[in-house]
Amino acid sequence: MKRPLAVHVMAKPSGAICNIDCTYCFYLEKEKLYPDKARGAWRMGDEELEAYVKQYIEANDIPVVSFAWQGGEPTLLGLDFYKKAVALQQKYAGQKQITNAFQTNAILIDDEWGEFLAEHKFLVGVSIDGPEDIHNRYRVGRGGEPTWDKVMAGIEVLKKHKVEFNTLTVLHKHNADHPKEIYEFLTREVGSQFLQFIPIVERVADKLPAHFLQLVGPEFRDGATVTEWSVGSEQYGNFLNGIFDQWVRKDIGQYFIQIFDTTLAGWMGQNPGLCIFAETCGDAMIIEHNGDVYSCDHFVYPEYNLGNVADTTIREMAESPEQRKFGTDKRDTLPEYCRTCEFRFACNGGCPKQRFVKTPDGEDGLNYLCKGYKTFFKHTEPYMKAMVGELRSGRPAANIMEKTSQMPESQGSDDPYAGVGRNDACPCDSGKKFKRCHGAAK
């Protein structure tokens, strides 16, 4: 029996055009894919918008269809564009429920935007990299001016209008050494309850490729160097551990960190709900301003162009052999080193975009962030097991804070079992004594 199609197609209605100039942005140079476009012409037209909305709703065999609007910077299109989009959603929704998410730098968010986003229940993601000095290192205006004050002003407008928002923080070489400072800022000062931390990992070609895009994909073999702003692998793992040690002691159930939720799902034997940790991918495509559809947001290269909504429907592109192979390649090209890894169930090799490193035995396809993931998964293992134990017993995962809150903060990163006696019950709730469980190796 053929499975119902559930596909996500993120929209980039303004293409790569943005009102700021983040040094690390992997999308800004996608302008080169459309060399004939004048800057003012980067806008999804009425025909493309209607085709997208109609086809996307029709492509999904599930009761809830989630639209996501990104860029570039999506607010550049103005409110009228999104009013039209909402009207089209209502026109074609039928019996399906429609939701909208909107990723923005928040600089252009004013009261009019706030009223619209609140009225239509948009979930807004705000891109912010930390406190002022950290944020302004890379997230600058087109003239190099800082943007933090404007972002914070936009957040205040969202709060004023009671718009639900979360934060997306890009982790790079220069902010990933400050987990506690960034976490405290985002939760206590910004007031974000849902946090995403996205590691930036890009390679720049030593020689300009034929497609003229300097930031290249994992299959590029002609010589490429990891950019100086990319986060280090172990640095990434240490950052996650630093955040986790704050969260696990006092904030479970109060703040929700995407990677913690997906990791816990893995330990529960559930679908992680995040494509990078799923066994296969291919169900998360993107549509460009002109109606072109690509296999993935991170694979907007000519060879991954699936077609245009003017000629081919989104369902046809989603079910095409090319897109299905793109998705299954994530599993089928996984190196043996990953297949036998103790944390494969939680990671599944990570995002294919970052699988350009060789394994210790020389096989291609290891994720650049492998060491960082292992650092994180190993450190959080006892806590994840303890939370699984609570959940499977019908109790909230936050119950483990009765134990973790008593741990001295300085010990959180180094030894999660500090102070546990050999004959005490193991904190992972296995039912065994500590000496016969996680204390056996001590």
Side-chain angles (χ1 to χ4, degrees), residues 106-136:
I107 289 174
L108 296 180
I109 298 294
D110 57 16
D111 284 331
E112 192 177 4
W113 273 104
E115 291 171 4
F116 171 82
L117 296 168
E119 177 186 355
H120 296 286
K121 296 181 173 58
F122 274 56
L123 170 62
V124 176
V126 177
S127 299
I128 185 167
D129 284 359
E132 185 171 6
D133 58 330
I134 293 175
H135 175 91
N136 284 336

Side-chain angles (χ1 to χ4, degrees), residues 37-54:
K37 282 278 185 181
R39 186 169 181 83
W42 287 79
R43 180 184 186 87
M44 183 174 281
D46 291 348
E47 291 184 7
E48 289 81 8
L49 176 61
E50 184 159 8
Y52 163 56
V53 171
K54 180 176 185 291

Side-chain angles (χ1 to χ4, degrees), residues 24 127-131 134-135 138-139 168-170 172 175 182:
Y24 56 59
S127 299
I128 185 167
D129 284 359
I134 293 175
H135 175 91
Y138 285 135
R139 298 192 68 81
L168 186 153
T169 299
V170 173
H172 51 75
N175 70 349
I182 290 175

Side-chain angles (χ1 to χ4, degrees), residues 128-170:
I128 185 167
D129 284 359
E132 185 171 6
D133 58 330
I134 293 175
H135 175 91
N136 284 336
R137 181 176 186 111
Y138 285 135
R139 298 192 68 81
V140 296
R142 303 197 70 82
E145 69 278 9
T147 63
W148 187 85
D149 285 337
K150 294 178 180 178
V151 175
M152 292 298 288
I155 290 173
E156 289 305 311
V157 174
L158 296 175
K159 290 179 180 178
K160 173 183 174 182
H161 292 278
K162 296 180 172 55
V163 176
E164 185 178 356
F165 76 95
N166 58 37
T167 51
L168 186 153
T169 299
V170 173

Side-chain angles (χ1 to χ4, degrees), residues 46 70 92 120 164 186 191 208 243 315 329 342 355 360 362 366:
D46 291 348
Q70 292 200 18
Y92 292 110
H120 296 286
E164 185 178 356
L186 293 174
L208 198 63
I243 295 282
R315 178 179 281 271
D329 275 352
E342 61 180 314
R355 284 163 52 173
L366 183 65

